[in-house]
Amino acid sequence: MPATLSSQDVVALFQRFVIGNYTRYPVCLVRGEGSSVWDAEGNRYLDFFPGWGCDLLGHCPPRIVEAVREQAGKLIHVPNTWYTEAQGLLAQALSERTGWGGQCFFCNSGTEAVEAAIKLARLYGKPGRYKIITMVNSFHGRTLGALSATGQPKYHQGLEPLLAGFNYAPFGDLAAAARLVDNETCAILVEPIQGEGGINVPPAGYLPGLRELADKHNLLLIFDEVQTGMGRTGRWFAHQHWDVQPDVMTLAKALSGGIACGAMIAKPQVAEKLRPGTHAATFGGNPVACQAALATIETIEAGGLLERAERIGTFFRQRLGALKARCPSIQEVRVKGAMIGIELSLDGTRMVNRCLERRLLINCTHGTVLRLLPALTLTDAEMEEGCGILEDVLLTDKP
Ligand SMILES: Cc1ncc(COP(=O)(O)O)c(C=O)c1O
């Protein structure tokens, strides 16, 4: 069915009525299925970055659509003054998959999950400790607490003064993190793999080393798994690759298969610091989001999608590794499951635009890193199709 308004009509609406805080492509998307999306004119795009990492199962995964439809017909939202089965079952399902018995607080986004973790760390640190060590080039969200935690000055500009107490260590540098600990430090907050910072995989020993450092000084170790969680890297949570446990973990993005949902999961002895009145989120843990998350977990398990993430990673590692040998502008290829970064020696935005012309959707982060966060349902044929376009674009680039 054709859309009622053309892409151009919709762009005109945005120009008048929507605040211009995003750089948008002049395309109005109207429908999606798996790794394909269609615009108002009926053009199909292959999506290697579905929903900024939220659509881990592709667009409109049938089991999620069904779960949302069914729940929406029964009960859409009730506040956290009541119990709901879906929230209880989701907390159990997540806790069981952590392997360290976490308890959950639910919210609606990644930045909210990080805010909850910051508050929990400060409550844990009482009396006297409030400082949190985070990493250079990290990304934790846009609300002022999470933004202060984010170790990228470009995002702080114009918003100072930030929340006090954040100190940044270079990612991967254990000694630098250790030097930042003082008697006011209460926590270390780190992405197991930096996402927005350019798909930076930690060196061996780094995450276990942070665990040791945290234990030595009685600090909370908080893993921000908003981008890496829910099977993206081939394990439920990326930290499970390194056999290390956090005290607190944050989730969002892919948690509910594309429906807004966030969570902070904490070990019970830490979680108990959040008493009634200390924190809340009106929509957090609503039954629609929780049913979507339960359906997401079910779909990942039924479809063997953790293994599929590994397979996707192997495919891209081989294909892009071979391309690197032929393409001088590729500096490095970094892959962990379905989390893929291609570091270029040139501006990546131009490549994103050239891919868009060929109807392949990708992302550029950190200026020079092409970032792909494909759906775990991406087929072999779609991987071939998209890699073919990427190869063409990168091999024929003339600045
Ligand atoms: C690691 C990490 N934490 C937090 C966030 C913020 O999530 P949201 O945009 O849902 O607030 C992001 C978003 O990209 C992220 O990658």
Side-chain angles (χ1 to χ4, degrees), residues 109-112 114 139-142 191 196 224 226-227 252-253:
S109 65
T111 203
E112 274 181 82
V114 171
F139 187 83
H140 298 293
R142 302 283 189 160
E191 296 156 85
E196 202 270 353
D224 182 349
V226 165
Q227 194 163 141
K253 284 201 187 281

Side-chain angles (χ1 to χ4, degrees), residues 105 107 109-121 132 134 139-143 145-147 149-150 166 189 222-226 248-252 263-264 279:
F105 161 80
C107 50
S109 65
T111 203
E112 274 181 82
V114 171
E115 293 295 331
I118 293 170
K119 283 177 78 171
L120 182 57
I132 301 178
T134 68
F139 187 83
H140 298 293
R142 302 283 189 160
T143 50
L147 187 74
T150 294
F166 290 95
L189 165 62
I222 306 169
F223 285 154
D224 182 349
E225 294 251 16
V226 165
V248 180
M249 170 172 77
T250 55
L251 294 175
M264 178 193 65
H279 199 49

Side-chain angles (χ1 to χ4, degrees), residues 54-124:
C54 300
D55 298 326
L56 181 72
L57 306 176
H59 293 279
C60 300
R63 185 65 199 89
I64 313 298
V65 172
E66 185 192 316
V68 168
R69 282 205 173 116
E70 199 184 314
Q71 184 58 48
K74 282 194 206 156
L75 190 64
I76 293 179
H77 175 64
V78 286
N80 282 294
T81 35
W82 307 99
Y83 293 91
T84 59
E85 180 182 303
Q87 187 177 143
L89 289 175
L90 176 59
Q92 179 186 26
L94 291 172
S95 179
E96 285 171 359
R97 281 157 188 79
T98 62
W100 39 267
Q103 290 183 320
C104 301
F105 161 80
F106 290 104
C107 50
N108 310 284
S109 65
T111 203
E112 274 181 82
V114 171
E115 293 295 331
I118 293 170
K119 283 177 78 171
L120 182 57
R122 285 193 168 199
L123 291 169
Y124 175 83

Side-chain angles (χ1 to χ4, degrees), residues 304-321:
L305 295 182
L306 296 182
E307 294 75 29
R308 182 70 190 157
E310 299 268 13
R311 158 96 185 102
I312 289 172
T314 305
F315 179 96
F316 276 94
R317 197 176 298 110
Q318 284 169 355
R319 198 63 189 257
L320 296 172

Side-chain angles (χ1 to χ4, degrees), residues 279-354:
H279 199 49
T282 301
F283 275 119
N286 69 77
V288 174
C290 289
Q291 288 293 6
L294 284 165
T296 299
I297 292 170
E298 203 183 292
T299 306
I300 290 170
E301 278 174 355
L305 295 182
L306 296 182
E307 294 75 29
R308 182 70 190 157
E310 299 268 13
R311 158 96 185 102
I312 289 172
T314 305
F315 179 96
F316 276 94
R317 197 176 298 110
Q318 284 169 355
R319 198 63 189 257
L320 296 172
L323 178 62
K324 179 174 178 287
R326 292 192 292 146
C327 180
S329 58
I330 299 183
Q331 302 301 295
E332 196 178 21
V333 174
R334 299 187 283 267
V335 179
K336 198 80 182 164
M339 207 171 172
I340 298 141
I342 310 166
E343 171 106 48
L344 302 177
S345 56
L346 41 85
D347 170 30
T349 313
R350 196 171 72 241
M351 299 302 133
V352 173
N353 288 325
R354 289 193 56 218

